[in-house]
Amino acid sequence: MTDSNDNSFRDLLEVFDNPNPERNFTIEHICPEFTSVCPKTGQPDYGKIIFTYIPDQVCVELKSLKMYLQAFRNEGIFYEAVTNRIMDDFLAVVKPRRARVDSEWTPRGGLRSNITVEYPEP
């Protein structure tokens, strides 16, 4: 669950009308240079965020998606929390038929993490 401060980044997301709302088609957007901050160490975390979704009435506008993701640059947040927060914001604004957000994190200390959130839940 997100707290009230989490909605501030959500306002950065914009949409445009789906040109083919009668058809199910898949859109994939990849952000290979996502950055946030580890809340425990204060060190930067680097990862890749992958959005895969079937739009309903609208699609996410890419410049706004880029600005939204860049807003996390100084945000102290764990991998699991940021991936779920991104999905919550994406669902609230884009309202897709289906969506999946994958976060793939650069190894640190010999460990690599991947987080996946799907809607609707499998």
Side-chain angles (χ1 to χ4, degrees):
M1 191 77 177
T2 58
D3 65 40
S4 60
N5 293 334
D6 290 346
N7 292 337
S8 62
F9 295 173
R10 182 180 294 176
D11 295 339
L12 296 171
L13 289 172
E14 298 176 15
V15 296
F16 63 90
D17 288 341
N18 180 349
N20 296 96
E22 72 286 350
R23 175 179 296 140
N24 283 332
F25 62 97
T26 301
I27 299 172
E28 184 176 72
H29 299 305
I30 301 167
C31 173
E33 299 176 343
F34 182 81
T35 304
S36 58
V37 175
C38 175
K40 193 127 175 116
T41 66
Q43 296 297 308
D45 286 325
Y46 301 102
K48 178 183 353 180
I49 305 293
I50 303 165
F51 294 85
T52 307
Y53 73 104
I54 297 174
D56 191 13
Q57 298 304 304
V58 297
C59 301
V60 71
E61 193 278 322
L62 291 182
K63 181 179 178 186
S64 75
L65 181 61
K66 179 175 122 178
M67 301 307 288
Y68 168 79
L69 293 171
Q70 287 178 353
F72 285 95
R73 183 179 0 190
N74 296 317
E75 189 80 356
I77 190 166
F78 290 111
Y79 300 158
E80 298 81 1
V82 73
T83 307
N84 278 281
R85 180 169 158 191
I86 288 170
M87 177 62 99
D88 290 344
D89 291 347
F90 192 80
L91 292 176
V93 175
V94 181
K95 299 175 177 58
R97 293 178 186 153
R98 299 187 69 78
R100 177 178 166 137
V101 174
D102 293 288
S103 62
E104 301 174 356
W105 299 92
T106 301
R108 190 163 61 179
L111 291 174
R112 180 177 176 175
S113 299
N114 294 332
I115 314 298
T116 300
V117 182
E118 295 182 75
Y119 169 83
E121 293 184 19

